Amino acid sequence: MLDRCITDVSLSKAEYQRLVPELQARLFDLEQMLLEARIPTIFVFEGWAGTAKARTIATLTRRLDPRGFRVYPITPPRTYEQQYPWLYRFWLKIPSYGQMTFFDRSWYRELLAAYTTDGDQDRWRTRCEDAVVFERQLADDGALILKFWLHITKKQQARRFKKLLSDPLQSWRVTDEDRWQHRHYKRVYQVVEEMLVRTDTAFAPWQIVPAADKYYARLHILQTIVGALESRLGITAVDRGASIDDSGEALRRYNLSIRIPVLGGATNTDTVRPSPPAEEAGHQLTTTPMSNGSAVVTVPVGSPTYAASPLQRVDLSLRLDDETYHRELKRLQAKLYLLGLQVYHQKRPVVIVFEGWDAAGKGGAIQRLTAELDPRAYIVHAIAAPTGDDKARHYLYRFWRRLPPRGQFAVFDRSWYGRVLVERVEGFARPEEWRRAYAEINQFERQLVDFGTIIAKFWLHISPEEQLRRFEQRQNVPYKAWKLTDEDWRNREKWPAYLAAVDEMLLRTSTPFAPWTIVEAEDKKFARIKVLRTAVDVLESELGVVELE
């Protein structure tokens, strides 16, 4: 890609000054329209050192409303950022719906650094795949992504460095990293070429920009961005000529009334079309008993249909007597305490997910799980409907920002699986959104495991009759009545739809690196011990066996 870029093109200053103001005015109008259409936009600026990426971004943002955009200069990860998966810090910076985000360097800076310093090609290629997955998830959610590589030759870079170093006020801009890049230009060139090829996609294309002449480069980028935004909003040259005025209001009125569609990010709002009831048809799913009594979901090859729900085949008659319960509870909690120390010493993050029917006993299981852990070492996230910043971004954003650092636990009382459960059944997510969520969730969990995260996922299962009994019990006990809501009663009416959604969730998201454990929760004592025993087994398989004295 780089070898086809002609770098010696130029533009006169007079021509630049004639064309740029009109483009900046159009970009201002587009900023307002993007806000009203709730389209998030991401502009990535990468390139050789010395190509003045920051000044290019300044040209783009000069006429924009500062409330509508953010600029992030990306430096090497700080110490605390290294405690999380490598894309964590970029997920925290994704724009909300309708906002513009400019990245002065980005996740690609980290990609290049990983290859040129570590030399681990397999790890580097996995990260390229991670970047593509990241961008695809954002694009599927409605984001417009444009990536620019500002290109100059080694000789042109040398001239830029010489000019900067000759000015005492500008010499600081040439860093040790820049000098290293210049000395190894040919090597970095080859890595960049492969990176561009691996990460150039239809939903997040690379634009190679000749940057030897600053006027040409800035005008070219401005024209590309304005053209891409107008294309996304359905604006034509006729529209611009007929509708634009100094304030931009006429252009926005025209396009909002005629052209702008409702795009990504509209989940959990009144504008979402309810999806049809969950399908009863599904796929064959088996549960394999383990030595510890856990049932691990096995995903078969192909998509055969099943005659009955796998959850209906779970033995809900399993019980545990009081003596065994208290003996095992004490033993397993002691082991969890020791394993918590190992999590800290080995610097492994742990994610434990609890899903299940209303009143299945998730809270009680979590309470027994965390009872003997150091309270500084874990946090329990009770996940409800998204609000505020969480609702204004991709649905995975709120879970990325709640991930545990190295050496700590994060326990999720409900989780990202709401996308394929309640959002699916209640119509808060469109069919195309929840259907693609299975792959998005698997990719999310795979990235966590690649980082070293230990994952355990539990589905707590009870019968509808037992749920009704527990609802009625809660209703009659004052200190438990607050747990019961009108929504809980409404959800009971949709039990078959939820059952089909759970079946498909278990089938499509139980993976070798993050399998589901189905917990027979009709008896709370049995369920709690099974959760603790499974958690101990999962942690010991990763951290080593701990012995009680």
Side-chain angles (χ1 to χ4, degrees):
M1 298 176 72
L2 294 179
D3 59 351
R4 297 182 182 180
C5 179
I6 302 172
T7 60
D8 57 357
V9 292
S10 61
L11 181 74
S12 69
K13 182 177 181 179
E15 186 71 359
Y16 172 81
Q17 292 176 336
R18 184 181 71 84
L19 295 173
V20 163
E22 180 188 354
L23 288 167
Q24 288 175 327
R26 283 163 62 185
L27 187 58
F28 171 79
D29 288 322
L30 291 166
E31 179 190 25
Q32 312 309 308
M33 295 174 66
L34 290 169
L35 178 62
E36 293 163 348
R38 302 186 76 243
I39 301 175
T41 52
I42 297 173
F43 305 114
V44 171
F45 289 87
E46 293 284 354
W48 296 101
T51 49
K53 293 177 283 295
R55 293 186 179 182
T56 300
I57 294 173
T59 300
L60 295 169
T61 59
R62 185 162 295 134
R63 292 281 299 276
L64 296 180
D65 185 334
R67 297 169 296 180
F69 71 87
R70 290 290 303 271
V71 178
Y72 291 107
I74 300 302
T75 59
R78 297 176 175 88
T79 301
Y80 85 92
E81 291 171 332
Q82 295 176 16
Q83 305 305 306
Y84 299 90
W86 78 283
L87 282 173
Y88 164 85
R89 62 186 181 130
F90 301 109
W91 269 99
L92 299 191
K93 295 176 175 63
I94 65 172
S96 59
Y97 298 126
Q99 297 288 305
M100 306 172 77
T101 297
F102 298 84
F103 284 95
D104 178 7
R105 307 296 300 269
S106 66
W107 42 98
Y108 290 103
R109 175 178 190 157
E110 202 159 330
L111 268 178
L112 290 174
Y115 189 94
T116 54
T117 58
D118 297 345
D120 187 338
Q121 294 190 21
D122 290 338
R123 180 167 173 262
W124 180 77
R125 290 181 180 125
T126 298
R127 287 199 169 186
C128 285
E129 180 184 345
D130 291 345
V132 171
V133 166
F134 173 49
E135 292 164 3
R136 182 172 63 243
Q137 290 177 352
L138 298 179
D140 286 345
D141 196 47
L144 173 67
I145 304 172
L146 289 178
K147 302 179 298 191
F148 297 94
W149 179 267
L150 277 63
H151 187 53
I152 55 177
T153 65
K154 185 175 183 180
K155 289 183 179 179
Q156 290 165 344
Q157 186 182 57
R159 289 197 294 270
R160 295 278 179 92
F161 285 180
K162 183 177 180 180
K163 182 178 179 180
L164 290 171
L165 291 170
S166 65
D167 184 348
L169 298 179
Q170 299 293 329
S171 59
W172 63 271
R173 295 182 181 275
V174 183
T175 66
D176 291 340
E177 181 184 1
D178 296 339
R179 292 184 175 91
W180 186 94
Q181 184 193 86
H182 183 68
R183 291 196 304 271
H184 301 87
Y185 183 95
K186 184 176 181 180
R187 176 185 173 188
V188 176
Y189 182 102
Q190 294 172 342
V191 178
V192 169
E193 183 72 30
E194 185 176 355
M195 180 191 75
L196 295 177
V197 171
R198 287 182 176 273
T199 59
D200 183 51
T201 60
F203 49 82
W206 278 106
Q207 310 289 331
I208 311 301
V209 181
D213 180 79
K214 63 181 180 181
Y215 298 124
Y216 177 87
R218 293 170 190 174
L219 182 67
H220 177 78
I221 291 171
L222 192 50
Q223 288 175 328
T224 301
I225 289 177
V226 168
L229 294 179
E230 290 182 341
S231 176
R232 177 62 178 270
L233 292 166
I235 301 171
T236 67
V238 173
D239 298 333
R240 289 197 303 273
S243 306
I244 196 165
D245 58 21
D246 290 340
S247 67
E249 293 178 359
L251 177 63
R252 294 196 294 278
R253 285 197 303 271
Y254 177 83
N255 287 280
L256 285 171
S257 62
I258 297 178
R259 296 183 178 276
I260 295 181
V262 176
L263 295 171
T267 59
N268 290 334
T269 70
D270 294 336
T271 61
V272 177
R273 300 185 305 275
S275 60
E279 305 94 313
E280 294 298 332
H283 306 283
Q284 179 68 36
L285 181 66
T286 60
T287 55
T288 304
M290 298 176 66
S291 59
N292 62 1
S294 302
V296 176
V297 178
T298 303
V299 181
V301 178
S303 302
T305 59
Y306 57 85
S309 162
L311 291 178
Q312 291 176 343
R313 298 197 294 272
V314 173
D315 184 1
L316 294 178
S317 67
L318 295 172
R319 298 288 187 273
L320 204 64
D321 61 84
D322 286 345
E323 181 181 352
T324 303
Y325 170 72
H326 290 294
R327 182 180 67 250
E328 284 296 286
L329 181 67
K330 184 177 180 180
R331 183 182 70 86
L332 292 170
Q333 287 180 335
K335 278 204 159 193
L336 279 171
Y337 171 78
L338 295 177
L339 287 165
L341 296 178
Q342 289 303 310
V343 165
Y344 174 77
H345 289 303
Q346 297 187 30
K347 302 300 180 187
R348 298 285 298 276
V350 180
V351 170
I352 302 179
V353 173
F354 284 88
E355 293 283 356
W357 299 104
D358 293 331
K362 295 181 291 295
I366 292 171
Q367 187 178 18
R368 273 69 181 181
L369 179 75
T370 60
E372 298 301 326
L373 294 178
D374 187 328
R376 298 169 297 179
Y378 71 87
I379 184 169
V380 177
H381 299 290
I383 301 300
T387 58
D389 286 347
D390 289 340
K391 190 175 182 179
R393 289 172 172 81
H394 190 286
Y395 76 97
L396 284 177
Y397 163 82
R398 61 175 175 153
F399 303 108
W400 272 96
R401 74 185 188 93
R402 288 170 169 82
L403 291 178
R406 293 182 185 272
Q408 293 195 19
F409 292 75
V411 181
F412 287 89
D413 181 358
R414 301 205 182 276
S415 67
W416 41 95
Y417 286 99
R419 188 67 158 190
V420 295
L421 293 176
V422 64
E423 292 187 37
R424 165 183 171 171
V425 175
E426 302 298 335
F428 296 138
R430 296 187 293 271
E432 62 271 20
E433 292 174 327
W434 62 256
R435 283 174 180 144
R436 69 170 178 259
Y438 299 113
E440 292 173 339
I441 288 169
N442 289 339
Q443 291 157 352
F444 170 51
E445 292 175 352
R446 191 265 303 164
Q447 291 178 24
L448 299 187
V449 172
D450 285 350
F451 178 69
T453 305
I454 302 170
I455 299 179
K457 302 186 302 191
F458 299 98
W459 174 264
L460 274 63
H461 188 54
I462 57 176
S463 66
E465 294 78 18
E466 175 62 17
Q467 185 189 62
L468 178 60
R469 188 190 68 79
R470 294 184 184 183
F471 277 10
E472 292 173 343
Q473 183 186 49
R474 285 182 177 182
Q475 199 170 34
N476 297 323
V477 178
Y479 68 87
K480 289 187 177 181
W482 67 270
K483 295 183 178 181
L484 193 61
T485 66
D486 292 340
E487 185 178 351
D488 294 332
W489 289 106
R490 286 196 302 271
N491 289 345
R492 274 186 55 79
E493 299 174 2
K494 299 181 180 180
W495 187 283
Y498 274 102
L499 185 64
V502 174
D503 287 338
E504 188 168 3
M505 176 196 76
L506 295 174
L507 169 72
R508 300 186 64 178
T509 62
S510 191
T511 58
F513 49 81
W516 279 101
T517 297
I518 300 175
V519 179
E520 302 85 347
E522 202 93 343
D523 178 67
K524 291 183 178 180
K525 294 189 292 292
F526 179 89
R528 291 165 183 171
I529 293 304
K530 182 168 183 177
V531 166
L532 266 63
R533 185 181 296 125
T534 304
V536 165
D537 287 350
V538 169
L539 291 169
E540 286 189 330
S541 69
E542 293 286 338
L543 304 169
V545 176
V546 295
E547 298 292 344
L548 300 177
E549 295 181 359

